[in-house]
Amino acid sequence: MGLLNPALLGLLGLGSVPILIHLLHRRRYQVVRWPAMAFLLRAQVRTKQRLRMENLLLLLARTLAVLLFAFAATRPFLPSASGIASLGKERRHLYLLVDNSASMGYQEGISTLLQKAVREARAAVDGLGADDPVTLVAACDERRRRNGRPLAILRGTRDHGKVREALDLLPLSDARMDPAAALAEVLAVADPADERRTLLVLSDFPRADWDPFGPGAEGAPAPAAPAAGGAAPGTPGAGTSGIRAQLDRLEKAGFPLAGSFRFLAAPEVEDVSLLSIRTADGRSPVEGRTASFEVVAANNGAAPAAAEVRLLVDGREVGSARLSLPGRGLRAAAPPTARATFPWRGVAGSHHAEAVVETPGNRLKANDRRGHAFSVRERVRVLVVDGDPAPAEGRFPETFLLAASLGLRSSLAPAEMRVVPSEDLARETLAGEEVIVLANVDRVPEGAWDRLASFVRRGGGLLLFLGDRTDPAAWNAALRRPGVEDLLPGRLAPSPRFDAENPVSVDLAPSEHPVLRDLADERSGTSFEPPLVSGWWPVQEPFPEGTEVLLRLRDLARTPWLLARHHGRGHVLLCTSSADLDWTGMSLLFAPLVQESVAWLADAGRERRDLLVHETLLGEVPDAARDISVVDPSGQPWTDLEALRRGGPGLEGPESGPRTVQFPETARAGRYLLRWKAPPAGSPVALRLEEASRDYAVNLDPLEADTARARPEAVEERLQVRGLGSAGDPEAEAREREREAARGDLTGLVLSLGALLVVVEMFLAAWFGRRRR
């Protein structure tokens, strides 16, 4: 039994009032001995005993009535009782949701937050009755689910020893918790027969998951356009709508939410994390050239921090740097960052870089390391198709300037260039090429268009220069083939524009596109005079979806001069003028523009090798590869790999490229190695197999690396639910008692018994009075 107003128990003292009144009104007699009355006193003994019994009955009825009325003021109730019929103890089902994501490895004292969560969960289980069932949900489970999604480990078990054992064995994951999915898992396994359900969520409540800041917060990003079917990123709805929906469902299902969230740690953190590691220019390093690696560190704590960052490549230390990081503001949506740059030069092949940050008081080790897998290329294999291989006497070939630009020693991407006439394009298989350049080609055979489209879809680059030999009808026909995705960035006009007397300059405006970022930015130290263009092919609008205009001419119509478009995994660049001096004047911009374009096109189709935890590893291997395996960070080889279609999902056709295998077991952050054996390049028969390998880096989600925590009041405000994290709060306890009272209120029953005793007292008083007359 419980009392909603236990403070009013003092009113039970009113039960002494009838007794005091009775004692105060007792008649006091002066004893006078009178012999004549002695015989009458002996006759009154029996009557006096009857009167005393009647008075005691009346006193008892009055006292009990007052006690019952005073007891009713305390509003007594039976937990989950339905009247007095259910006086026995009722079963309680405890649903435990334990956050075991990477941020729960945060060290506080000698234990982690996950160890603290296990202790809290064990204490909650110890407080249950022997027959009370327990359901245990892990926020991240890799043992039974490859993707690390939430899973109910135990469902409604009464074996509390088994629950304690499962809690002790709960592993710390490298994955990120999805709060909405975890709450949905609780609902999915909830027993509809349970009348009393108790939810306990044990987490450090990362701010990125539970309390996303809106546009009005300090340091929050600017509002973005809403995504299809969802809320705009950076708004409360983007991160809280799913959680709020699950909480509404839990409440409708009968889960009391007051005090159900247990915030295991204080909002203040002491932690420095690594957010990214990449080459400074975003390109693949080239053998013989020095590449710069940029490492970004962030301070999640409020106090300033000094950190030392080290870079290792293939296990060997490259260098170290000291960084000073300011403290993070209380309402800052993102942590302050600092960058360290490390120069490195290596040989061609696959490599793995790892950055490590060290700082005093760093409490979370999982976000102190970050990897980056990359390849150093020896050369970019470029196939140049010359549309005018035999120019008139005194003129240069169409590809003369291209060959000179790509052959420069200072080129960003040293090229292994092969030049063929346009007549040979129909016979080219395009195998082994990375970038294809078409220079003033009149028309492309339909079969060659198919091979070019397949080449770009699987990651190749296509650079197009037009000229006086271009046939617009043939190019437009290839662009608008039924059932085939557009390859070219746009349709050509029926005729070109040419005015040698009045050339137009190119507008070299600042741009963030990789091709133009260093060429059009004065801060990069480069200064180029834009070329003068006397001839060009107008491109008709509207452009195909995905087309981007990079450069325009300074004419009245602002005619597009350089256009880009993605196609599958590859990219296409279209220059509406020529690659020779017939239509384009001499300019120092031409060589770096060609080099930047070829470097970007060669990198555009790079295999994605930096992954997040639980992202599927997709690796390309030669068609003749044998003994394929993946080695995880612990050194364990995996050979059970699933093969996909040649060239990967959606890439079909007889020339769709190498085989693709997928490996989903990326539950741990670290270095993964894809190994295989294949015949040497150019060997038609597998007489001898050579071993080959490729590195992959699996990293912690950057949002999971951000250890900033949400405050209870902020979570309640965002979710618009009061009392979620108010364990021990008097108001929350009062609300919980109100709910308990509604389920088994005894106030009416006690008042009814008090009123009944008043009626009984009145009846007895009247009856005894008639008898005494």
Side-chain angles (χ1 to χ4, degrees):
M1 178 181 293
L3 301 176
L4 194 60
N5 300 321
L8 298 181
L9 279 174
L11 294 177
L12 294 178
L14 295 176
S16 62
V17 173
I19 300 175
L20 292 175
I21 294 174
H22 174 76
L23 294 177
L24 292 174
H25 286 76
R26 288 182 65 182
R27 294 182 179 181
R28 301 290 182 179
Y29 298 98
Q30 184 178 2
V31 179
V32 179
R33 297 189 180 277
W34 185 19
M37 295 298 293
F39 74 95
L40 291 175
L41 293 175
R42 288 193 294 269
Q44 194 184 11
V45 171
R46 190 171 296 176
T47 303
K48 187 177 180 179
Q49 292 176 348
R50 179 174 59 82
L51 292 175
R52 183 179 298 169
M53 183 62 66
E54 291 174 354
N55 289 337
L56 287 176
L57 287 175
L58 291 174
L59 179 62
L60 179 62
R62 292 165 185 164
T63 303
L64 286 178
V66 173
L67 288 175
L68 285 174
F69 286 134
F71 187 57
T74 65
R75 296 187 64 184
F77 63 91
L78 291 175
S80 299
S82 55
I84 301 182
S86 56
L87 293 175
K89 184 178 179 180
E90 190 176 1
R91 187 185 74 173
R92 183 161 66 103
H93 193 152
L94 175 62
Y95 290 83
L96 283 172
L97 172 55
V98 181
D99 180 4
N100 62 325
S101 60
S103 62
M104 291 292 285
Y106 188 90
Q107 195 86 14
E108 283 193 349
I110 60 173
S111 62
T112 64
L113 291 182
L114 180 59
Q115 292 169 338
K116 184 176 180 180
V118 169
R119 290 196 297 269
E120 294 269 357
R122 289 176 65 97
V125 173
D126 293 340
L128 298 175
D131 293 331
D132 287 345
V134 179
T135 292
L136 176 61
V137 177
C140 306
D141 184 86
E142 283 104 5
R143 295 179 179 176
R144 301 163 186 83
R145 289 185 173 177
R146 287 180 170 179
N147 56 7
R149 302 291 287 174
L151 182 68
I153 299 176
L154 298 174
R155 300 188 183 186
T157 179
R158 293 178 175 83
D159 187 349
H160 294 176
K162 188 176 181 181
V163 177
R164 297 184 187 94
E165 181 181 357
L167 287 170
D168 293 337
L169 296 176
L170 193 63
L172 182 65
S173 172
D174 283 344
R176 181 185 174 198
M177 177 185 180
D178 184 345
L183 295 173
E185 179 69 11
V186 173
L187 275 166
V189 298
D191 187 357
D194 290 334
E195 294 185 6
R196 288 197 66 199
R197 302 171 178 175
T198 302
L199 174 65
L200 184 58
V201 181
L202 299 164
S203 174
D204 59 334
F205 293 88
R207 190 190 297 174
D209 296 340
W210 294 89
D211 180 28
F213 283 91
E218 174 191 341
T235 63
T240 59
S241 58
I243 303 175
R244 177 57 196 268
Q246 299 303 329
L247 290 177
D248 290 342
R249 293 180 59 199
L250 285 166
E251 199 165 24
K252 290 179 182 178
F255 282 90
L257 298 181
S260 60
F261 285 8
R262 192 68 52 83
F263 290 75
L264 297 175
E268 294 77 18
V269 298
E270 193 175 351
D271 177 61
V272 173
S273 63
L274 288 178
L275 297 185
S276 68
I277 171 176
R278 59 189 291 273
T279 53
D281 57 5
R283 301 187 183 95
S284 296
V286 178
E287 187 177 33
R289 307 292 173 87
T290 299
S292 294
F293 286 90
E294 185 181 73
V295 179
V296 179
N299 182 15
N300 300 317
E308 180 179 3
V309 178
R310 296 186 297 121
L311 178 68
L312 299 91
V313 177
D314 298 331
R316 296 182 179 180
E317 184 168 340
V318 173
S320 62
R322 297 283 296 179
L323 298 177
S324 295
L325 294 157
R328 182 174 187 171
L330 178 63
R331 301 289 294 176
T337 60
R339 289 169 168 79
T341 304
F342 301 91
W344 177 83
R345 178 183 294 189
V347 298
S350 178
H351 299 273
H352 180 269
E354 184 179 41
V356 182
V357 63
E358 297 175 354
T359 182
N362 208 7
R363 303 294 185 86
L364 182 62
K365 303 301 181 184
N367 60 5
D368 293 350
R369 293 177 175 269
R370 199 157 195 93
H372 171 57
F374 64 97
S375 289
V376 174
R377 60 161 40 100
E378 185 178 3
R379 291 286 187 273
V380 177
R381 296 183 296 275
V382 182
L383 174 65
V384 180
V385 181
D386 192 342
D388 189 12
E393 185 177 353
R395 296 177 58 186
F396 291 103
E398 193 75 27
T399 59
F400 174 77
L401 291 179
L402 291 173
S405 300
L406 295 177
L408 292 175
R409 284 191 170 186
S410 60
S411 176
L412 295 169
E416 183 181 316
M417 191 171 59
R418 187 164 59 94
V419 181
V420 298
S422 57
E423 292 80 6
D424 292 349
L425 182 59
R427 297 188 293 271
E428 289 290 335
T429 62
L430 310 183
E433 306 296 345
E434 294 179 89
V435 177
I436 296 174
V437 182
L438 302 185
N440 200 9
V441 174
D442 55 353
R443 62 177 63 229
V444 177
E446 187 168 338
W449 272 125
D450 293 335
R451 287 195 295 276
L452 284 173
S454 177
F455 168 79
V456 176
R457 278 201 305 272
R458 68 174 183 264
L462 181 61
L463 177 58
L464 307 171
F465 287 95
L466 305 180
D468 56 355
R469 295 173 59 87
T470 301
D471 182 352
W475 282 62
N476 292 338
L479 175 68
R480 297 296 182 186
R481 289 178 297 168
V484 178
E485 182 186 357
D486 297 338
L487 175 63
L488 303 182
R491 292 171 57 87
L492 303 183
S495 60
R497 304 284 178 85
F498 183 79
D499 188 354
E501 301 297 329
N502 299 294
V504 180
S505 65
V506 177
D507 185 8
L508 195 61
S511 173
E512 289 301 318
H513 194 277
V515 173
L516 304 175
R517 186 170 51 223
D518 293 336
L519 301 180
D521 189 354
E522 296 180 355
R523 295 172 299 179
S524 64
T526 57
S527 179
F528 297 105
E529 287 294 329
L532 295 176
V533 179
S534 57
W536 66 88
W537 283 91
V539 181
Q540 298 177 352
E541 297 188 26
F543 303 126
E545 183 180 359
T547 295
E548 181 181 2
V549 179
L550 303 185
L551 292 175
R552 292 180 181 271
L553 298 177
R554 292 182 180 270
D555 60 344
L556 294 177
R558 303 288 295 168
T559 305
W561 187 70
L562 185 65
L563 300 92
R565 187 173 188 275
H566 63 84
H567 184 77
R569 285 174 48 195
H571 288 80
V572 179
L573 278 176
L574 171 63
C575 181
T576 59
S577 187
S578 65
D580 57 12
L581 298 177
D582 291 343
W583 283 10
T584 306
M586 180 67 71
S587 172
L588 294 178
L589 177 66
F590 185 81
L593 180 62
V594 170
Q595 295 171 12
E596 293 278 1
S597 299
V598 170
W600 178 68
L601 291 171
D603 275 351
R606 279 184 302 177
E607 186 181 359
R608 187 161 175 259
R609 294 164 61 181
D610 286 352
L611 310 172
L612 299 181
V613 172
H614 287 300
E615 282 191 330
T616 299
L617 187 157
L618 293 174
E620 294 182 352
V621 296
D623 193 41
R626 304 290 184 269
D627 300 335
I628 306 172
S629 64
V630 172
V631 181
D632 65 14
S634 66
Q636 178 184 355
W638 297 73
T639 57
D640 185 16
L641 308 178
E642 182 179 349
L644 302 177
R645 291 191 299 270
R646 296 182 60 185
L651 304 180
E652 302 173 356
E655 297 184 32
S656 54
R659 283 192 299 165
T660 301
V661 296
Q662 66 176 355
F663 176 72
E665 305 290 344
T666 56
R668 292 297 169 193
R671 180 183 185 181
Y672 289 74
L673 201 61
L674 176 62
R675 291 178 173 173
W676 69 90
K677 292 181 179 180
S683 176
V685 183
L687 299 178
R688 180 172 58 88
L689 298 179
E690 293 183 348
E691 292 188 357
S693 62
R694 188 180 301 119
D695 291 274
Y696 295 82
V698 176
N699 294 305
L700 210 64
D701 191 315
L703 292 178
E704 186 66 20
D706 184 354
T707 52
R709 300 172 186 142
R711 298 175 182 270
E713 58 272 16
V715 173
E716 294 174 3
E717 180 183 355
R718 296 288 176 179
L719 299 178
Q720 300 177 0
V721 180
R722 304 299 300 174
L724 285 176
S726 304
D729 181 27
E731 295 183 4
E733 294 176 359
R735 286 191 294 269
E736 179 61 22
R737 288 196 299 271
E738 288 282 357
R739 282 188 287 269
E740 291 287 343
R743 288 193 286 266
D745 195 359
L746 296 179
T747 304
L749 177 62
V750 174
L751 286 174
S752 299
L753 290 176
L756 178 61
L757 283 176
V758 171
V759 174
V760 169
E761 189 274 340
M762 293 173 60
F763 173 76
L764 290 177
W767 184 35
F768 293 158
R770 286 194 299 269
R771 291 182 58 183
R772 294 175 184 178
R773 291 176 184 173

